[in-house]
Amino acid sequence: MKKNIITSFIIVIILYSCEKNISVNAPPYTPKVSIQSMLQPDSVPVVYFSRTVPYFDAALNFSDLVIRNAQIKIESSAGTDSLKLDSVFDPVYCQYKYYYKGNIPIQPNITYTLNILSGADVYTASCTTNETKTVIDSTGYTYEFSDLYGGHEGVIVYFKDIPGETNYYRFEMKRYIDSADEFAGPKIVASCIGKDSVLIDEPGRSVYNDEGQQGKEIKIVIEPAYTHSAGVAGIIYIQTIDKNAYNFFDELDRQKLAEFNPFVEPVFIQGGQFGSKAIGYFSSMVKSDSVLFVFPE
């Protein structure tokens, strides 16, 4: 026994002495343009027009990322809407979020074209607001379900797929949080919240299609992004989104999975509608009617 202990100790010493710190210089990074816009009937259009940064870049203030002085227009048979740079204060992040906002409410069953002129660069894409609203049948709750991130609690939503169509779906919840809640582990650092509660929008990380489930009952399980206590209420929606948005969010989700699991093949977000000039989406969606959900614990 004593001999085995000594041998093990020697092996540990040898392995420890073989450690060597290696400095790796990050390759040069060329920022890309990010364009994100989801048109919704009866709402004015909003376009997030910003630049990307390297993974370890410390410049994460929204004011540093927005691309200013762009000419952004959305054209359709209903007219041309010229969008202007606007902002809204986000108390969770304690800073302003910037976006370009229009004035003409979006209408259903119309094709819209986005045109952006930024310096000498031009970006364009189109979408049609013809998604069909689905209906949430019921909701539930599970104390634990497992995915590649581990075990989590989950909000369960049941809804029937719209028959005769190819559809894409995304979860959304609106609810109030305060400074006692947590997001992705660390406590929210939000002196702007103080003792107040603020309304947040909690979209689902994953997106879903109806392949093999057309016209059937669909069940999805979503891990809440923020912590909560028993009795906290939220409003749940199911978004019916178009294929352009689905492709973007699906790539984004698979890239995140690759970051946390060494056995998942890395995914690089493609330009989609914008080719190699930019990443993002110009898409349309419609929400289901809202359903009240109360956390049981």
Side-chain angles (χ1 to χ4, degrees), residues 113-128:
T113 299
L114 171 70
N115 287 298
I116 299 177
L117 176 62
S118 178
D121 297 319
V122 177
Y123 309 90
T124 185
S126 297
C127 69
T128 302

Side-chain angles (χ1 to χ4, degrees), residues 65-266:
L65 302 181
V66 63
I67 300 175
R68 303 172 187 271
N69 302 317
Q71 297 179 34
I72 300 182
K73 294 182 179 181
I74 294 181
E75 301 173 340
S76 72
S77 58
T80 298
D81 196 357
S82 296
L83 284 65
K84 303 299 181 183
L85 186 63
D86 202 346
S87 64
V88 63
F89 187 73
D90 188 325
V92 175
Y93 292 94
C94 211
Q95 59 178 298
Y96 282 89
K97 285 186 174 180
Y98 294 85
Y99 49 83
Y100 287 80
K101 184 177 181 180
N103 300 285
I104 304 175
I106 299 299
Q107 299 179 26
N109 301 310
I110 289 183
T111 296
Y112 290 88
T113 299
L114 171 70
N115 287 298
I116 299 177
L117 176 62
S118 178
D121 297 319
V122 177
Y123 309 90
T124 185
S126 297
C127 69
T128 302
T129 55
N130 59 357
E131 282 69 44
T132 304
K133 182 169 68 174
T134 191
V135 177
I136 296 176
D137 295 324
S138 62
T139 61
Y141 177 83
T142 178
Y143 295 97
E144 184 171 352
F145 75 100
S146 297
D147 59 16
L148 288 176
Y149 293 95
H152 320 279
E153 64 173 340
V155 177
I156 306 172
V157 185
Y158 299 90
F159 60 96
K160 189 173 182 180
D161 177 63
I162 304 160
E165 300 178 6
T166 299
N167 295 297
Y168 308 92
Y169 301 107
R170 190 184 187 208
F171 170 90
E172 179 185 357
M173 174 184 281
K174 293 183 182 294
R175 65 184 176 98
Y176 284 90
I177 65 169
D178 56 38
S179 57
D181 290 310
E182 298 178 355
F183 172 68
K187 202 164 190 176
I188 296 172
V189 179
S191 57
C192 298
I193 295 179
K195 296 181 179 179
D196 297 327
S197 296
V198 295
L199 182 66
I200 54 99
D201 192 28
E202 228 179 311
R205 187 190 74 241
S206 300
V207 287
Y208 307 86
N209 61 53
D210 62 355
E211 184 177 355
Q213 303 183 81
Q214 290 196 346
K216 299 180 180 179
E217 186 83 359
I218 293 178
K219 169 188 174 183
I220 62 174
V221 185
I222 302 294
E223 177 194 4
Y226 293 86
T227 59
H228 56 82
S229 56
V232 168
I235 301 296
I236 290 177
Y237 305 86
I238 291 296
Q239 302 175 358
T240 305
I241 63 179
D242 72 5
K243 194 173 189 300
N244 294 317
Y246 171 83
N247 288 340
F248 176 82
F249 289 120
D250 184 53
E251 284 186 346
L252 187 63
D253 186 36
R254 287 188 285 121
Q255 177 171 286
K256 289 179 179 178
L257 290 175
E259 291 174 2
F260 288 94
N261 190 320
F263 302 104
V264 175
E265 182 177 355

